Amino acid sequence: MQRPLQIKDALHLDNKKSYGFVNCYVHEDSELFIDYNLLKQNIVIHNFDRKTACKKIIDFFKTNLDIIRTDPDKVSENMLIHEINDTHFGSTTRGNNSRGKGPSKDELKDFFRKITENNLDKTVINEPMDLLIFTKGLGPDSFSDLITKIIAKELYEFSIKVFKQSNKLDEVKQKGEQEIEFWDNKNHKMSTIIVPKLSIKNSNIILVPYRITTKRIKYNANDFLNSVINSVKRTNELAKKGRKKAMTKKEIVHYETKKYGTSERKTIVFNEVLKERHFLKSYHDKFNSSKFLMNNVHPLLNDNDIYK
């Protein structure tokens, strides 16, 4: 079976040389994601304004938390995800269009209503990736799309610089224009710019630095349930009289699922955080640990490190 056409091959770039971008397929998506836990690391990424990208993500999250109580409809509108196909990232099967569209407006409003009613805004939920734990309909694919939307301007500028330095800008820049939506952290709102369209073999292209890209995002409700909540529960079980050994993770998950009926795990962990708010801080601390990140965050090794 012939390998799908990749960016370097299409532009006749040296496959042995690293240009800093993910060497994606031109006409198909790769199961890859932008990982905020990688993006926030204090590293220099050539041609990419990582600091501004981080500031925009943090400001997007903070601004929307600030207006949740006064304008939940606006927050839901900001959070709605319109997939940017130009990066060719996503959870797809080869040859098909991306499936994930993210949470609905009603799901977002329900989530924001719950965190404000329970006073979880700002003081407890204060990491952008907490949305992955609690928001129904929001998975790694749609969260990566949201991050892409927020920093789309920085990704486009990165693409221009890379194509220019590799003497391919004239080849990929088209006569037509495209509108890019991005987060304006100075005015604290979504904004748009009109820019020249970038295209390879009639396929729109926006490059992504491989150093902020992962094949797997571990920060999720299931990991939170197992690594923090269930760990505490197992320890507590040891202290109970008449029990020789702690409950297993499987037993605890079964117990909690049964306890909450058919509720999803995102509902389970939300209810647990309501009872024990320090659980979420413990999860934050784990992901802010350099040792933990080393073992649990999975960046690409180089620009050719994608699923074949």
Side-chain angles (χ1 to χ4, degrees):
M1 184 177 178
Q2 187 176 5
R3 181 167 58 90
L5 184 67
Q6 290 176 267
I7 296 172
K8 286 185 180 180
D9 293 331
L11 295 177
H12 305 289
L13 293 172
D14 186 353
N15 264 301
K16 294 181 180 180
K17 181 179 178 181
S18 177
Y19 296 87
F21 65 86
V22 181
N23 189 23
C24 285
Y25 303 121
V26 174
H27 297 107
E28 300 177 10
D29 284 354
S30 300
E31 193 170 347
L32 299 169
F33 315 98
I34 294 178
D35 191 339
Y36 174 69
N37 277 321
L38 289 172
L39 188 58
K40 71 180 183 181
Q41 299 306 301
N42 188 23
I43 55 174
V44 176
I45 303 175
H46 189 52
N47 290 323
F48 180 66
D49 190 351
R50 185 197 61 81
K51 288 184 178 179
T52 297
C54 267
K55 287 178 182 177
K56 287 189 174 184
I57 295 168
I58 293 169
D59 185 71
F60 174 87
F61 187 74
K62 180 180 181 298
T63 299
N64 283 285
L65 278 180
D66 285 343
I67 64 174
I68 278 176
R69 293 180 182 275
T70 56
D71 196 355
D73 284 334
K74 185 62 179 177
V75 175
S76 298
E77 182 182 319
N78 287 338
M79 289 284 297
L80 281 177
I81 298 161
H82 307 288
E83 186 179 14
I84 301 176
N85 291 319
D86 298 13
T87 61
H88 298 276
F89 278 20
S91 294
T92 66
T93 53
R94 185 165 293 171
N96 292 334
N97 292 326
S98 296
R99 297 188 300 266
K101 297 298 179 185
S104 67
K105 194 168 185 176
D106 286 341
E107 286 174 323
L108 288 168
K109 288 176 70 175
D110 178 62
F111 167 67
F112 296 135
R113 177 186 58 78
K114 286 196 300 184
I115 67 172
T116 52
E117 285 178 355
N118 293 284
N119 295 312
L120 291 177
D121 50 325
K122 297 182 186 178
T123 56
V124 180
I125 298 177
N126 53 32
E127 277 283 340
M129 293 191 74
D130 289 344
L131 295 172
L132 267 174
I133 300 176
F134 300 115
T135 312
K136 292 182 179 179
L138 186 69
D141 193 15
S142 46
F143 184 74
S144 179
D145 287 338
L146 177 61
I147 295 296
T148 302
K149 181 173 94 167
I150 295 169
I151 65 170
K153 187 170 180 284
E154 283 65 44
L155 293 175
Y156 182 86
E157 290 170 349
F158 169 74
S159 304
I160 291 291
K161 291 175 182 176
V162 171
F163 286 136
K164 187 175 182 179
Q165 289 181 3
S166 58
N167 297 314
K168 298 295 180 180
L169 185 56
D170 290 340
E171 186 174 340
V172 300
K173 186 186 288 188
Q174 307 300 311
K175 293 181 180 179
E177 295 179 325
Q178 66 184 111
E179 183 179 86
I180 290 182
E181 185 180 28
F182 67 97
W183 183 254
D184 179 352
N185 58 312
K186 293 182 179 178
N187 295 303
H188 314 295
K189 65 178 184 178
M190 295 305 302
S191 187
T192 58
I193 51 171
I194 304 298
V195 295
K197 184 180 292 186
L198 304 178
S199 177
I200 300 174
K201 303 289 184 181
N202 297 317
S203 179
N204 289 355
I205 293 288
I206 288 182
L207 304 178
V208 179
Y210 78 81
R211 297 192 70 181
I212 65 170
T213 304
T214 185
K215 297 176 183 178
R216 177 189 176 207
I217 294 180
K218 189 172 181 179
Y219 200 102
N220 56 57
N222 190 51
D223 182 65
F224 180 36
L225 182 64
N226 286 327
S227 66
V228 176
I229 297 173
N230 287 347
S231 178
V232 173
K233 286 178 179 291
R234 292 180 73 193
T235 300
N236 291 341
E237 279 295 318
L238 284 173
K240 287 186 177 180
K241 293 181 179 180
R243 187 170 180 105
K244 295 180 179 180
K245 62 179 182 178
M247 291 171 67
T248 65
K249 288 183 180 181
K250 186 176 181 180
E251 286 176 320
I252 293 172
V253 169
H254 175 74
Y255 168 76
E256 292 298 334
T257 304
K258 184 178 179 181
K259 181 180 176 181
Y260 290 104
T262 57
S263 298
E264 299 176 21
R265 289 187 179 183
K266 292 191 177 188
T267 300
I268 294 172
V269 298
F270 186 84
N271 287 328
E272 290 294 341
V273 169
L274 285 182
K275 292 184 293 183
E276 302 287 348
R277 303 195 174 197
H278 64 88
F279 280 158
L280 192 56
K281 184 180 183 304
S282 296
Y283 200 51
H284 291 165
D285 291 344
K286 289 185 72 172
F287 272 86
N288 287 329
S289 161
S290 57
K291 182 179 179 181
F292 187 79
L293 279 171
M294 190 181 302
N295 296 322
N296 292 276
V297 178
H298 310 274
L300 301 192
L301 299 177
N302 52 59
D303 50 5
N304 287 316
D305 184 24
I306 66 173
Y307 289 121
K308 297 295 188 287

